[in-house]
Amino acid sequence: MCIRDRALSVPASQLTPVAAPVGLPAVVLAHSADASSPTLFTVTPLAGRHSGDVVAWRPAPVAAAQSTSIPGASYVLQWSAQQRMQQDERTAGARWSAQRSMFTWDRSRRTQVDLRWPLLPAHMQQQLLSSNPQAAVLGGEALVNYLRGDRSNEGRAGLLPRRESLLGDTLASQPVIVVDSASSEAAQVIVGTASGVLHALDAASGQERWAYLPSALVCPQRLPTATTCAQQSAQMIPASARVELWGQPRDVLVSGLGGAAPGWFALDVTPEAPHLNLAHGQAKPRVLWERGAQDDAGIGYYYGKPTIAELNDGQAYVVAGNGYNSQRGEAALYLIRLADGQVMRLGTGSGSPLSRNGMSAPALVDSDFDGVVDRVYAGDVAGQLWKFDLSSSRAEDWGVAAGVRPLFAAGPAHPILLTPEVTHYDGDGFLVYVATG
């Protein structure tokens, strides 16, 4: 099962050794079957180095008389994902990138495919060859191998930049812990990077189990100079939940792509599933779907954290604002059915291709406390707060509440880019808090 992890504030002095990687921990998550002594996972961007790290800390042994509560505990390094990856590279050499379990999505056939040149469909090969100046010198296979982690062409005549680490920049990343439902122990720590790669790390050892590169990012821009990397950062902030799909409980992960490309993807990352049996190597999750601007011109660049929720038609959905700078330009709420990726767009009528608007990450509310979402609040680039009514059991009845007008308008000079906060107030009422620019 996927847990809703606790965010903890732990003084740096309690994380030893002191000579930890330079940078500021972006996120600290805790997990343990025994809540009194959880393992901590920190995500640390390494300043100015286009790199980052995920580090696991275990509680240090303490005297029997000492408290084992979180505030008084000390922690020692269990593993560093960057160090483990570098160690595996040194041990296996060139074989490491060749043996790596790394995959993408074939949009034309709607199926996942290993990220290997001979296995890529012709249209993806052509995309790399026709629009990449390095292809004439290196060839398509060398470009794909570079994406897989091959270093043999790094720095060659300035064609491909050298990488300090194959674990990309984790700035703004928020990891997801996926738990084995049989043991209640953490199975994987999954984190996105600015390079566009989603990494799944073994929670016990830090070893990479699989890596996923969305199809929109299998492109020349993912072979970056430092400038290109900064301009096209894939800020992945994934969300996960255990939901009922096809009559079985499944752990599903969804994420947007930040500034790298419009859209979202969904993966089945259930640890005990046959396709993800970590004991048999070459583990990989199942791609459920990808959705982007090719599917709907209203989908923009999504920087927030999407939400997985059950709605009143009994189905599980991804609920997200449409993001920014879409081709359609209208601010809209998107509901994407998890089981098949079917898209429902609830438009607001605000924005156009000539005057673009876009909707930020929404807040979801269960107004009658039955475990199902009934209303949604979300802000947009034009400084408007919208309320959507999803209380009907008929999906065709869902839409903007109280007619097509905003609940609140601060004006275009004050965009609402953060997720609203909602609290219960005075019986059946709710208070909605928003921050504007």
Side-chain angles (χ1 to χ4, degrees):
M1 62 179 289
C2 290
I3 64 171
R4 288 162 177 78
D5 304 292
R6 293 172 292 148
L8 303 179
S9 176
V10 180
S13 61
Q14 294 180 15
L15 301 179
T16 56
V18 177
V22 177
L24 296 175
V27 178
V28 179
L29 291 180
H31 171 74
S32 177
D34 177 6
S36 65
S37 57
T39 299
L40 302 184
F41 300 96
T42 62
V43 180
T44 309
L46 303 182
R49 293 156 63 178
H50 296 293
S51 183
D53 202 1
V54 180
V55 180
W57 308 86
R58 67 177 183 274
V62 295
Q66 286 185 285
S67 171
T68 57
S69 64
I70 294 297
S74 293
Y75 291 82
V76 295
L77 180 69
Q78 179 173 339
W79 52 257
S80 155
Q82 187 182 91
Q83 293 175 9
R84 179 58 191 259
M85 194 172 286
Q86 291 170 344
Q87 175 187 331
D88 290 345
E89 275 193 276
R90 287 193 298 268
T91 302
R95 298 194 314 276
W96 181 82
S97 62
Q99 296 171 352
R100 195 178 182 191
S101 179
M102 192 171 186
F103 61 101
T104 186
W105 176 253
D106 179 358
R107 296 186 63 88
S108 62
R109 294 185 297 172
R110 295 187 178 276
T111 186
Q112 66 193 69
V113 58
D114 284 351
L115 188 63
R116 300 179 188 275
W117 178 255
L119 301 181
L120 291 181
H123 70 91
M124 294 182 76
Q125 290 185 346
Q126 184 60 32
Q127 178 181 334
L128 280 166
L129 291 174
S130 63
S131 54
N132 196 320
Q134 293 99 329
V137 178
L138 297 175
E141 187 161 10
L143 299 181
V144 172
N145 289 344
Y146 178 84
L147 292 173
R148 291 186 55 83
D150 175 43
R151 294 185 180 274
S152 61
N153 287 304
E154 283 188 4
R156 177 183 169 188
L159 292 173
L160 296 175
R162 294 188 183 279
R163 295 167 286 190
E164 178 177 330
S165 169
L166 296 179
L167 188 66
D169 192 344
T170 56
L171 184 65
S173 295
Q174 295 183 15
V176 166
I177 300 175
V178 180
V179 178
D180 189 314
S181 62
S183 66
S184 297
E185 293 295 338
Q188 302 171 81
V189 179
I190 303 177
V191 64
T193 60
S195 62
V197 179
L198 187 76
H199 301 267
L201 309 171
D202 185 278
S205 67
Q207 185 175 34
E208 183 188 78
R209 289 304 186 183
W210 52 263
Y212 168 65
L213 184 63
S215 64
L217 308 187
V218 183
C219 60
Q221 286 79 1
R222 309 327 298 170
L223 307 173
T225 64
T227 301
T228 304
C229 184
Q231 290 176 343
Q232 306 216 6
S233 175
Q235 291 177 301
M236 294 183 182
I237 306 179
S240 69
R242 170 150 282 210
V243 298
E244 194 81 10
L245 289 179
W246 314 294
Q248 297 180 329
R250 316 301 297 173
D251 290 319
V252 177
L253 178 146
V254 298
S255 179
L257 303 176
W264 311 272
F265 61 84
L267 308 178
D268 178 355
V269 296
T270 312
E272 58 269 30
H275 62 271
L276 239 176
N277 191 332
L278 300 182
H280 293 86
Q282 289 299 301
K284 58 174 66 70
R286 175 184 175 188
V287 183
L288 299 180
W289 43 260
E290 291 185 0
R291 291 294 178 267
Q294 305 97 317
D295 306 295
D296 188 313
I299 297 176
Y301 295 84
Y302 193 76
Y303 292 84
K305 185 175 184 176
T307 304
I308 300 171
E310 181 182 349
L311 301 186
N312 280 289
D313 65 348
Q315 301 288 319
Y317 288 82
V318 176
V319 183
N322 68 312
Y324 312 129
N325 202 31
S326 70
Q327 298 171 33
R328 190 191 303 273
E330 179 188 17
L333 185 72
Y334 272 70
L335 312 175
I336 311 160
R337 197 160 60 193
L338 267 180
D340 56 11
Q342 180 175 315
V343 173
M344 178 180 298
R345 180 175 60 86
L346 303 183
T348 63
S350 177
S352 69
L354 297 179
S355 180
R356 297 189 180 186
N357 197 354
M359 186 159 287
S360 304
L364 281 59
V365 176
D366 173 14
S367 60
D368 54 6
F369 308 103
D370 64 351
V372 180
V373 171
D374 301 300
R375 62 180 75 171
V376 172
Y377 298 92
D380 67 20
V381 173
Q384 302 170 116
L385 177 68
W386 299 88
K387 176 184 175 182
F388 295 87
D389 183 357
L390 309 182
S391 60
S392 173
S393 61
R394 291 162 32 98
E396 54 267 33
D397 295 335
W398 299 341
V400 176
V404 185
R405 64 177 185 271
L407 190 65
F408 166 79
H414 304 284
I416 300 174
L417 305 180
L418 300 179
T419 304
E421 293 287 340
V422 182
T423 60
H424 189 241
Y425 172 75
D426 191 23
D428 294 332
F430 292 88
L431 291 176
V432 183
Y433 301 87
V434 296
T436 64

